[in-house]
Amino acid sequence: MLFWYFLPVLLAAYKLFNFDLEDTYESKDGVYKAYKTINGLSPGPPIIVDEDEWVEVHVNNHLQTSAAIHFHGVLQNGTPWADGVPGVTQYPIASGKSYQYRFQAKNQSGCLWYHSHFRGYLSDGLYGVLYIRPRKERKRPYHHITLNIEDQELLMQLEKNPSFLIADDSFKLPMDDVVMRMFRYGIDPLCIQSVLINGKGRIYCHPERRFRKLASKNPNLRHIPYFDCLGCLRDDSIVHYKGSTLDHNALEFPGYSAPCKPTYSLLHIHYTNNTDWQYINVLNAGGQYTKLFSIDDHEFYVVAIDGIFVTPQRVSSVVLPVGSRFTICVETRKEQHENANLPFFIRFTTTHAPQFVEGLAILQYGPPPKNDQESDCSLLGKANLDLYTNGIRYTDLDGHLIEPNRKAIWPQQTRPYEEQNKLKHKSAADVTFPFYLHRFELVQFSMFRDGSQLPLHMELKKPLLDSLAEGEFSQLKLLPAILQPPVRKGQVIDLILDNYKHINHPVHMHGHFVHVISYSDKENFPYKTVQEAIENGYTNLNLEDPPYLDVVLVPVGGHVVLRFEADNPGIWLIHCHNIGHLMGGMGAVLLESLDEIPQTARN
Ligand SMILES: *[C@@H]1O[C@H](CO)[C@@H](O)[C@H](O)[C@H]1NC(C)=O
Ligand SMILES: *[C@@H]1O[C@H](CO)[C@@H](O)[C@H](O)[C@H]1NC(C)=O
Ligand SMILES: [Cu+2]
């Protein structure tokens, strides 16, 4: 194999991470299932580096299948071939082979993550966090949280070694089976078995009357005739879609889950270690559901979204679309709670139909017990968890606030704090691409009005970057989901994403963070360009202080407009982060500054 690097790469010192990918069969929520692990772990080991440091991730694939690792939120400026997308930047890493990713954590910081970008294997456990410690010169927002200098210094300390709470949607079957069912029977992988937090969880069975009660408060649910014991609602308009005659019970269609058996496996416990503040990165790594996050009896401060510092807000909970990260600071002083010696629940709850399911972890004051047997807080052993609360519980099983006057924020409601992350280009864009997110068959998804898709088999095809390097430009015109024409360096790009209906789509952009300059959950964008909207005084525009994100939830029947500058030569995927939707074709490819893409470093 030929090793070829260009000069800066040669001179750099790398922080090395060795990843051994392996198949396992284990129980994480009380039921055995096949998982894929990294160094025996799922979530995999955290990658923690300093800003501007070079990183090398050496992946050894011992799985029975191919794999690839994408570093979500890493801009890969100067290293587009390290983006980890089969068919775009590399071939999948075959079973038994190794692959080196080399990139720089250049001029960016905070909580990012990594995950498989091949087939649905992300949701078999191939994911973990990637945290870049912010460099000294960055402006922090901590003095907006506390005026106490010691507390500010403590937060600066904790920022170096933060904690993580990572939620995952655990499907009942391994992803190859889930996807097989999806394409064979037209069943979108909808209902999950449990929400894992840091790889731990339980199966909770709730009586139907529990859901009935919630439905009575929630107008969207009143018409639902039945909830199964996993909280999956039976919606007859879906069941009889196109007059299909399926064995709904055998296929566990929503509303038909097999009788639920609760489990009592260990939950993740976050120990405060008697520190007055907790600095936590909260990630939704799931393949399916937007989640509401809260900690009983603890309001907290949001300080960053997707790794970007924001103007802090004090909230009771946050809403995490799939792929999003909130960084939060939680004050943990015993005297502020009535029963600080008892555990508090940490909750991730799905927010939308068709399933109401909650994952729980525990916040425990003090250090972990001395004996290394993890205490499971005997109190919580077989107790009816649904009824246990210590202090105020903010969120309910339907993913809504219990007291509506409390505050829950979306990523779209944050504002970047540092000057460099604010919007600079406020006038007309140079290029506008329109998108139309919709489903046109049971499991066929598209980002384009004409139904163009990113075909699944593309993952096995010659990577687009390779085609480009070999001068096969015609390859870059083959797929209708490749945006034409390529954008050029320095151009300002607008993406208008209209969502037709059905369901929300968390759209992720590779190679760029984006400003959300227009948003509505009520209507599609009524103009051809942002300029036209400005001229007509469109009130949903925000060119003053738009949020800056790498995943943007596009609401049902609504729209977002995303703006970025073409400052990162490469070939970048734009796609829905819901695994079923991505596998169903919901993606597009941006060609950016093709003549400036650096020579590919061959592996
Ligand atoms: C508390 O201490 C334990 C054991 O030293 C450590 O594993 C854990 O990460 C600490 N918790 C926090 C929030 O720092
Ligand atoms: C870092 O990126 C910002 C934009 O996000 C830019 O304004 C700034 O000049 C960059 N700094 C360096 C040192 O490259
Ligand atoms: Cu989607």
Side-chain angles (χ1 to χ4, degrees):
M1 232 179 258
L2 182 69
F3 285 82
W4 192 97
Y5 316 116
F6 68 111
L7 203 60
V9 182
L10 243 184
L11 295 176
Y14 292 94
K15 188 158 195 178
L16 177 68
F17 295 85
N18 204 58
F19 277 11
D20 288 302
L21 312 188
E22 286 170 335
D23 291 296
T24 62
Y25 190 69
E26 61 183 283
S27 154
K28 288 180 171 295
D29 58 8
V31 171
Y32 279 82
K33 193 176 91 170
Y35 288 93
K36 294 181 167 61
T37 58
I38 303 165
N39 300 352
L41 305 169
S42 174
I47 294 180
I48 300 183
V49 298
D50 293 321
E51 185 164 0
D52 293 329
E53 199 167 11
W54 281 87
V55 187
E56 172 168 326
V57 183
H58 194 128
V59 177
N60 307 305
N61 184 10
H62 310 290
L63 299 167
Q64 298 180 52
T65 55
S66 298
I69 303 289
H70 164 61
F71 304 91
H72 180 126
V74 175
L75 295 171
Q76 302 291 4
N77 191 321
T79 53
W81 55 78
D83 201 36
V85 184
V88 178
T89 65
Q90 66 170 99
Y91 284 100
I93 312 165
S95 175
K97 298 288 189 198
S98 296
Y99 194 90
Q100 282 88 252
Y101 294 95
R102 298 186 187 87
F103 57 87
Q104 189 186 11
K106 183 160 78 184
N107 193 18
Q108 59 176 138
S109 65
C111 184
L112 314 178
W113 61 303
Y114 64 83
H115 60 77
S116 162
H117 217 299
F118 184 61
R119 304 215 163 124
Y121 299 154
L122 154 58
S123 292
D124 283 339
L126 288 181
Y127 61 87
V129 290
L130 190 166
Y131 181 74
I132 306 175
R133 296 187 178 116
R135 64 164 100 89
K136 218 169 61 235
E137 297 77 24
R138 279 187 187 272
K139 190 172 135 202
R140 269 76 164 177
Y142 306 135
H143 58 283
H144 295 280
I145 297 178
T146 167
L147 294 173
N148 182 314
I149 300 290
E150 275 171 33
D151 281 3
Q152 289 172 19
E153 279 165 6
L154 173 61
L155 291 172
M156 285 295 287
Q157 276 308 311
L158 295 173
E159 177 200 270
K160 291 192 171 72
N161 289 298
S163 311
F164 300 97
L165 290 169
I166 310 165
D168 186 13
D169 298 320
S170 189
F171 292 94
K172 295 172 201 170
L173 294 168
M175 286 312 286
D176 277 343
D177 291 35
V178 168
V179 173
M180 181 69 74
R181 279 186 178 196
M182 168 169 155
F183 287 118
R184 174 71 180 80
Y185 294 104
I187 295 177
D188 199 353
L190 288 168
C191 293
I192 58 171
Q193 181 158 282
S194 62
V195 174
L196 300 177
I197 302 175
N198 291 19
K200 293 181 178 174
R202 291 182 182 181
I203 296 169
Y204 307 106
C205 308
H206 302 289
E208 218 228 337
R209 61 173 187 282
R210 179 90 173 74
F211 298 110
R212 216 19 74 225
K213 224 163 140 185
L214 289 171
S216 70
K217 289 189 295 182
N218 188 334
N220 298 328
L221 298 179
R222 253 173 235 147
H223 72 283
I224 299 298
Y226 180 73
F227 294 84
D228 69 25
C229 53
L230 285 175
C232 245
L233 52 86
R234 184 181 301 177
D235 185 339
D236 286 332
S237 67
I238 306 176
V239 171
H240 300 301
Y241 192 83
K242 294 213 165 156
S244 51
T245 51
L246 299 177
D247 183 337
H248 295 109
N249 288 306
L251 288 167
E252 297 187 85
F253 210 82
Y256 292 85
S257 293
C260 178
K261 288 199 203 82
T263 60
Y264 303 98
S265 30
L266 294 179
L267 299 178
H268 171 73
I269 305 176
H270 176 104
Y271 292 98
T272 66
N273 298 341
N274 298 323
T275 309
D276 287 342
W277 287 86
Q278 311 298 310
Y279 194 99
I280 309 175
N281 291 299
V282 185
L283 158 67
N284 182 1
Q288 179 77 357
Y289 289 115
T290 299
K291 297 181 187 70
L292 192 66
F293 167 88
S294 67
I295 308 173
D296 288 357
D297 218 42
H298 292 73
E299 293 197 328
F300 51 80
Y301 295 90
V302 168
V303 295
I305 177 76
D306 295 349
I308 306 276
F309 285 126
V310 296
T311 303
Q313 298 187 59
R314 186 182 168 101
V315 301
S316 301
S317 78
V318 287
V319 181
L320 288 119
V322 164
S324 292
R325 294 85 65 202
F326 271 100
T327 305
I328 64 170
C329 296
V330 192
E331 198 171 8
T332 43
R333 289 181 221 270
K334 276 190 162 180
E335 63 274 15
Q336 294 174 349
H337 307 275
E338 227 163 90
N339 291 305
N341 291 321
L342 296 178
F344 295 92
F345 271 143
I346 295 168
R347 302 173 189 272
F348 283 94
T349 314
T350 62
T351 60
H352 284 85
Q355 191 177 13
F356 298 103
V357 54
E358 185 178 62
L360 299 172
I362 290 165
L363 174 76
Q364 179 71 54
Y365 278 72
K370 283 274 169 356
N371 61 9
D372 47 34
Q373 223 164 32
E374 198 164 359
S375 115
D376 186 23
C377 307
S378 56
L379 164 84
L380 301 173
K382 298 211 171 194
N384 190 345
L385 294 179
D386 208 15
L387 301 178
Y388 174 85
T389 310
N390 182 6
I392 302 170
R393 174 176 175 176
Y394 303 116
T395 57
D396 212 338
L397 193 55
D398 62 351
H400 282 73
L401 289 168
I402 290 172
E403 300 167 33
N405 58 337
R406 289 193 182 271
K407 193 165 172 187
I409 61 167
W410 289 78
Q412 273 95 331
Q413 290 167 300
T414 60
R415 298 290 173 258
Y417 184 68
E418 294 170 277
E419 212 47 50
Q420 64 176 55
N421 293 326
K422 296 181 178 167
L423 181 70
K424 284 174 208 70
H425 309 286
K426 305 197 177 190
S427 46
D430 300 303
V431 182
T432 300
F433 291 112
F435 295 87
Y436 185 69
L437 312 184
H438 68 295
R439 149 157 94 186
F440 55 92
E441 286 283 336
L442 272 176
V443 292
Q444 299 300 323
F445 294 85
S446 171
M447 295 184 76
F448 298 93
R449 200 167 277 277
D450 68 3
S452 295
Q453 291 173 295
L454 204 61
L456 200 50
H457 60 71
M458 183 179 161
E459 295 189 326
L460 299 171
K461 293 273 160 69
K462 184 174 197 168
L464 297 175
L465 272 183
D466 289 32
S467 297
L468 179 71
E470 289 159 25
E472 297 164 12
F473 292 97
S474 57
Q475 292 292 113
L476 304 181
K477 294 199 173 139
L478 278 185
L479 274 182
I482 297 181
L483 299 172
Q484 296 291 354
V487 300
R488 295 194 313 273
K489 189 137 189 196
Q491 286 184 321
V492 175
I493 317 299
D494 282 348
L495 311 179
I496 299 176
L497 296 149
D498 286 328
N499 184 352
Y500 169 54
K501 60 180 186 187
H502 295 306
I503 190 165
N504 297 330
H505 298 290
V507 171
H508 171 49
M509 170 101 217
H510 291 221
H512 292 277
F513 277 68
V514 292
H515 283 107
V516 186
I517 60 172
S518 183
Y519 170 88
S520 166
D521 58 7
K522 302 206 168 45
E523 61 176 11
N524 287 169
F525 193 65
Y527 302 101
K528 287 230 149 37
T529 63
V530 167
Q531 190 54 29
E532 214 180 297
I534 293 173
E535 282 157 15
N536 285 281
Y538 188 50
T539 53
N540 287 320
L541 287 178
N542 178 5
L543 293 155
E544 282 315 302
D545 58 353
Y548 194 49
L549 313 170
D550 72 17
V551 176
V552 182
L553 194 93
V554 191
V556 183
H559 78 265
V560 300
V561 179
L562 311 178
R563 176 169 286 189
F564 61 94
E565 184 190 327
D567 57 3
N568 191 10
I571 300 185
W572 307 117
L573 210 58
I574 306 166
H575 65 92
C576 181
H577 220 292
N578 176 306
I579 295 273
H581 300 183
L582 174 59
M583 308 224 16
M586 198 163 224
V589 176
L590 176 80
L591 306 174
E592 177 173 346
S593 314
L594 292 182
D595 45 359
E596 298 198 38
I597 291 180
Q599 171 70 49
T600 301
R602 300 265 155 226
N603 207 258

mmCIF file of all heavy atoms in Angstrom, residues 51-52 75 106-108 135 138 419-421 424 548 567, ligand 2:
data_model
loop_
_atom_site.group_PDB
_atom_site.id
_atom_site.type_symbol
_atom_site.label_atom_id
_atom_site.label_comp_id
_atom_site.label_asym_id
_atom_site.label_seq_id
_atom_site.Cartn_x
_atom_site.Cartn_y
_atom_site.Cartn_z
ATOM 1 N N GLU A 51 -8.168 21.710 20.972
ATOM 2 C CA GLU A 51 -8.424 22.431 19.736
ATOM 3 C C GLU A 51 -7.128 22.578 18.943
ATOM 4 O O GLU A 51 -6.074 22.830 19.511
ATOM 5 C CB GLU A 51 -9.023 23.810 20.051
ATOM 6 C CG GLU A 51 -9.410 24.560 18.803
ATOM 7 C CD GLU A 51 -10.337 25.731 19.067
ATOM 8 O OE1 GLU A 51 -10.702 25.979 20.235
ATOM 9 O OE2 GLU A 51 -10.703 26.402 18.090
ATOM 10 N N ASP A 52 -7.227 22.402 17.642
ATOM 11 C CA ASP A 52 -6.121 22.488 16.675
ATOM 12 C C ASP A 52 -5.208 21.260 16.672
ATOM 13 O O ASP A 52 -4.301 21.173 15.840
ATOM 14 C CB ASP A 52 -5.275 23.766 16.878
ATOM 15 C CG ASP A 52 -6.072 25.022 16.555
ATOM 16 O OD1 ASP A 52 -6.961 24.947 15.673
ATOM 17 O OD2 ASP A 52 -5.837 26.063 17.190
ATOM 18 N N LEU A 75 -15.215 19.564 10.732
ATOM 19 C CA LEU A 75 -15.377 20.205 9.433
ATOM 20 C C LEU A 75 -14.495 19.583 8.356
ATOM 21 O O LEU A 75 -14.779 19.699 7.175
ATOM 22 C CB LEU A 75 -15.097 21.711 9.558
ATOM 23 C CG LEU A 75 -16.117 22.432 10.448
ATOM 24 C CD1 LEU A 75 -15.686 23.861 10.721
ATOM 25 C CD2 LEU A 75 -17.503 22.403 9.809
ATOM 26 N N LYS A 106 -9.403 21.575 13.806
ATOM 27 C CA LYS A 106 -8.942 22.912 13.462
ATOM 28 C C LYS A 106 -9.986 23.987 13.733
ATOM 29 O O LYS A 106 -11.061 23.958 13.155
ATOM 30 C CB LYS A 106 -8.552 22.930 11.975
ATOM 31 C CG LYS A 106 -7.993 24.253 11.499
ATOM 32 C CD LYS A 106 -7.180 24.126 10.219
ATOM 33 C CE LYS A 106 -8.009 23.996 8.975
ATOM 34 N NZ LYS A 106 -7.192 23.778 7.769
ATOM 35 N N ASN A 107 -9.646 24.896 14.595
ATOM 36 C CA ASN A 107 -10.472 26.091 14.793
ATOM 37 C C ASN A 107 -11.929 25.730 15.099
ATOM 38 O O ASN A 107 -12.849 26.373 14.618
ATOM 39 C CB ASN A 107 -10.377 26.976 13.531
ATOM 40 C CG ASN A 107 -10.928 28.364 13.760
ATOM 41 O OD1 ASN A 107 -11.080 28.787 14.905
ATOM 42 N ND2 ASN A 107 -11.244 29.072 12.685
ATOM 43 N N GLN A 108 -12.135 24.660 15.862
ATOM 44 C CA GLN A 108 -13.481 24.357 16.338
ATOM 45 C C GLN A 108 -13.368 23.613 17.659
ATOM 46 O O GLN A 108 -12.317 23.041 17.965
ATOM 47 C CB GLN A 108 -14.295 23.578 15.308
ATOM 48 C CG GLN A 108 -13.712 22.255 14.889
ATOM 49 C CD GLN A 108 -14.644 21.498 13.923
ATOM 50 O OE1 GLN A 108 -14.182 20.934 12.955
ATOM 51 N NE2 GLN A 108 -15.942 21.460 14.207
ATOM 52 N N ARG A 135 -9.772 26.206 22.931
ATOM 53 C CA ARG A 135 -8.504 26.870 23.220
ATOM 54 C C ARG A 135 -8.744 28.057 24.159
ATOM 55 O O ARG A 135 -9.862 28.559 24.295
ATOM 56 C CB ARG A 135 -7.821 27.305 21.928
ATOM 57 C CG ARG A 135 -8.551 28.347 21.108
ATOM 58 C CD ARG A 135 -7.611 28.977 20.086
ATOM 59 N NE ARG A 135 -7.735 28.444 18.745
ATOM 60 C CZ ARG A 135 -8.578 28.925 17.812
ATOM 61 N NH1 ARG A 135 -9.411 29.901 18.114
ATOM 62 N NH2 ARG A 135 -8.604 28.427 16.606
ATOM 63 N N ARG A 138 -10.678 31.493 23.411
ATOM 64 C CA ARG A 138 -12.126 31.590 23.133
ATOM 65 C C ARG A 138 -12.857 32.318 24.252
ATOM 66 O O ARG A 138 -12.508 32.194 25.428
ATOM 67 C CB ARG A 138 -12.735 30.201 22.963
ATOM 68 C CG ARG A 138 -12.524 29.641 21.608
ATOM 69 C CD ARG A 138 -13.282 28.355 21.410
ATOM 70 N NE ARG A 138 -12.891 27.800 20.130
ATOM 71 C CZ ARG A 138 -13.491 28.113 18.975
ATOM 72 N NH1 ARG A 138 -14.530 28.915 18.955
ATOM 73 N NH2 ARG A 138 -13.050 27.587 17.851
ATOM 74 N N GLU A 419 -18.321 36.063 18.549
ATOM 75 C CA GLU A 419 -18.473 36.915 17.373
ATOM 76 C C GLU A 419 -18.291 36.113 16.082
ATOM 77 O O GLU A 419 -19.054 36.255 15.128
ATOM 78 C CB GLU A 419 -17.436 38.045 17.455
ATOM 79 C CG GLU A 419 -17.880 39.349 16.845
ATOM 80 C CD GLU A 419 -19.281 39.772 17.253
ATOM 81 O OE1 GLU A 419 -19.611 39.775 18.470
ATOM 82 O OE2 GLU A 419 -20.066 40.066 16.337
ATOM 83 N N GLN A 420 -17.304 35.217 16.057
ATOM 84 C CA GLN A 420 -16.970 34.522 14.813
ATOM 85 C C GLN A 420 -18.065 33.558 14.368
ATOM 86 O O GLN A 420 -18.055 33.093 13.228
ATOM 87 C CB GLN A 420 -15.661 33.750 14.979
ATOM 88 C CG GLN A 420 -15.736 32.640 16.015
ATOM 89 C CD GLN A 420 -14.435 31.853 16.068
ATOM 90 O OE1 GLN A 420 -13.371 32.409 16.251
ATOM 91 N NE2 GLN A 420 -14.535 30.540 15.897
ATOM 92 N N ASN A 421 -19.000 33.248 15.254
ATOM 93 C CA ASN A 421 -20.069 32.314 14.886
ATOM 94 C C ASN A 421 -21.380 33.008 14.541
ATOM 95 O O ASN A 421 -22.395 32.355 14.321
ATOM 96 C CB ASN A 421 -20.291 31.295 16.005
ATOM 97 C CG ASN A 421 -19.097 30.374 16.154
ATOM 98 O OD1 ASN A 421 -18.448 30.044 15.163
ATOM 99 N ND2 ASN A 421 -18.790 29.983 17.371
ATOM 100 N N LYS A 424 -22.446 36.638 9.056
ATOM 101 C CA LYS A 424 -21.784 37.783 8.437
ATOM 102 C C LYS A 424 -22.491 38.226 7.157
ATOM 103 O O LYS A 424 -22.556 39.397 6.851
ATOM 104 C CB LYS A 424 -20.335 37.414 8.100
ATOM 105 C CG LYS A 424 -19.428 37.390 9.314
ATOM 106 C CD LYS A 424 -18.040 36.890 8.970
ATOM 107 C CE LYS A 424 -17.381 36.222 10.161
ATOM 108 N NZ LYS A 424 -17.985 34.918 10.536
ATOM 109 N N TYR A 548 -26.768 28.660 15.044
ATOM 110 C CA TYR A 548 -25.656 28.109 14.253
ATOM 111 C C TYR A 548 -25.482 26.653 14.673
ATOM 112 O O TYR A 548 -25.088 26.380 15.812
ATOM 113 C CB TYR A 548 -24.414 28.938 14.555
ATOM 114 C CG TYR A 548 -23.248 28.771 13.620
ATOM 115 C CD1 TYR A 548 -23.421 28.838 12.237
ATOM 116 C CD2 TYR A 548 -21.962 28.570 14.115
ATOM 117 C CE1 TYR A 548 -22.343 28.713 11.387
ATOM 118 C CE2 TYR A 548 -20.868 28.464 13.263
ATOM 119 C CZ TYR A 548 -21.069 28.531 11.895
ATOM 120 O OH TYR A 548 -20.004 28.421 11.059
ATOM 121 N N ASP A 567 -16.479 27.699 2.075
ATOM 122 C CA ASP A 567 -15.106 27.947 2.512
ATOM 123 C C ASP A 567 -14.390 26.634 2.812
ATOM 124 O O ASP A 567 -13.381 26.609 3.492
ATOM 125 C CB ASP A 567 -15.105 28.850 3.761
ATOM 126 C CG ASP A 567 -15.917 28.249 4.902
ATOM 127 O OD1 ASP A 567 -16.429 27.114 4.738
ATOM 128 O OD2 ASP A 567 -16.044 28.893 5.947
HETATM 129 C C1 LIG B 2 -11.824 30.345 12.766
HETATM 130 O O1 LIG B 2 -13.094 30.281 12.134
HETATM 131 C C2 LIG B 2 -13.809 31.500 12.147
HETATM 132 C C3 LIG B 2 -15.150 31.256 11.521
HETATM 133 O O2 LIG B 2 -15.825 30.253 12.197
HETATM 134 C C4 LIG B 2 -13.046 32.585 11.428
HETATM 135 O O3 LIG B 2 -13.747 33.799 11.534
HETATM 136 C C5 LIG B 2 -11.664 32.716 12.041
HETATM 137 O O4 LIG B 2 -10.915 33.611 11.303
HETATM 138 C C6 LIG B 2 -10.946 31.373 12.091
HETATM 139 N N1 LIG B 2 -9.715 31.493 12.834
HETATM 140 C C7 LIG B 2 -8.590 30.913 12.431
HETATM 141 C C8 LIG B 2 -7.401 31.097 13.318
HETATM 142 O O5 LIG B 2 -8.530 30.253 11.408
#
